Amino acid sequence: MSEAPVAQIDFSKLKGVLFDIDGTLCNSDPLHFKAFQNILSEAGFDNGRPIDEAFFRKNISGRSNPMIAQDLFPDWTESRRVEFYEDKEARFREMAGQTHPYSTAATRLNTEMMLSALNLDTYFEHVVLGDECTRPKPFPDPYLRGLELINVEAGLALVFEDSPSGTRAAVAAGIPVIGLSTGQDPETLLEAGASIVLTDFTAVMELVHAAAQGSKL
């Protein structure tokens, strides 16, 4: 466990919890990495040399597809970039055992697929996608929209994130963050503003139980 001061997280006062999905609820980053590695090589990025995991974590993980495509291929037309990341999302779904035609709602298809696979599709009242907001992560818009939908103030909410981009978005929205080190070094998430970084949700529950016992002393 890696941590910064966690005084701002009072579990007893929480009214709402917001979860990132990719890499947080679902360990999907290995499939995203492989899909990006394959399609970027085919597209001739970096003269066709496959990207490594360090490049993926720094430049791709947790970021929106339009931002990724713009940074990696600044000379491409917008339509070519859209085709590129829709192809990548279709490959991701194929690797995960699902096939769908290309769609501008590719990220929503991915989200619905992952929640269904985890049998969590009936547990969430709302799903907010960065690509459907005016500004995606690292801007606060997705989490501000989430707060609006559940009608909870930022100080009474908590976010679970696995990426620096998502962590910055939550912090910018004024919400404390518990980072999960499923794909990033703990230090990276702490630098992005996470209050504490844990390995998984088992460690989260141990922290919650410890906090509850402490409040009874």
Side-chain angles (χ1 to χ4, degrees):
M1 178 175 68
S2 300
E3 60 183 274
V6 295
Q8 65 265 47
I9 301 179
D10 185 344
F11 296 105
S12 67
K13 295 182 179 180
L14 292 179
K15 301 297 183 182
V17 180
L18 305 174
F19 294 86
D20 172 60
I21 296 177
D22 259 326
T24 302
L25 283 180
C26 179
N27 188 19
S28 52
D29 271 4
L31 291 182
H32 283 295
F33 167 63
K34 191 63 178 178
F36 268 112
Q37 187 181 56
N38 289 344
I39 196 170
L40 285 172
S41 291
E42 294 171 14
F45 178 77
D46 196 22
N47 294 318
R49 287 188 290 270
I51 63 170
D52 58 18
E53 291 189 12
F55 181 92
F56 174 80
R57 289 195 299 268
K58 181 179 180 181
N59 299 284
I60 295 175
S61 179
R63 303 183 66 213
S64 71
N65 280 328
M67 285 184 171
I68 294 168
Q70 183 174 353
D71 286 351
L72 299 184
F73 300 106
D75 297 330
W76 281 12
T77 63
E78 181 62 21
S79 61
R80 188 177 180 186
R81 292 184 195 135
V82 171
E83 182 180 359
F84 163 79
Y85 59 72
E86 288 187 347
D87 186 8
K88 178 265 158 184
E89 296 301 342
R91 294 187 188 205
F92 168 82
R93 291 191 295 277
E94 185 175 359
M95 289 178 180
Q98 299 285 334
T99 56
H100 292 277
Y102 289 177
S103 169
T104 54
T107 52
R108 181 163 288 277
L109 287 174
N110 291 354
T111 298
E112 293 171 351
M113 176 192 70
M114 287 184 283
L115 289 177
S116 176
L118 294 167
N119 293 319
L120 294 175
D121 47 327
T122 62
Y123 284 83
F124 294 95
E125 296 181 28
H126 307 284
V127 175
V128 178
L129 299 182
D131 290 348
E132 296 177 1
C133 295
T134 303
R135 300 178 302 175
K137 301 173 185 178
F139 295 100
D141 302 38
Y143 283 119
L144 291 174
R145 177 56 177 159
L147 292 174
E148 180 183 357
L149 288 170
I150 64 175
N151 193 29
V152 171
E153 296 178 6
L156 300 177
L158 177 65
V159 164
F160 288 98
E161 264 287 356
D162 75 303
S163 74
S165 177
T167 299
R168 293 188 184 97
V171 171
I175 314 171
V177 178
I178 291 181
L180 296 181
S181 56
T182 54
Q184 298 282 345
D185 294 330
E187 292 74 16
T188 300
L189 298 178
L190 290 173
E191 289 174 2
S195 297
I196 188 170
V197 179
L198 303 172
T199 55
D200 52 34
F201 282 105
T202 298
V204 171
M205 293 311 299
E206 291 174 353
L207 179 66
V208 173
H209 289 314
Q213 290 300 318
S215 66
K216 296 177 182 179
L217 297 179

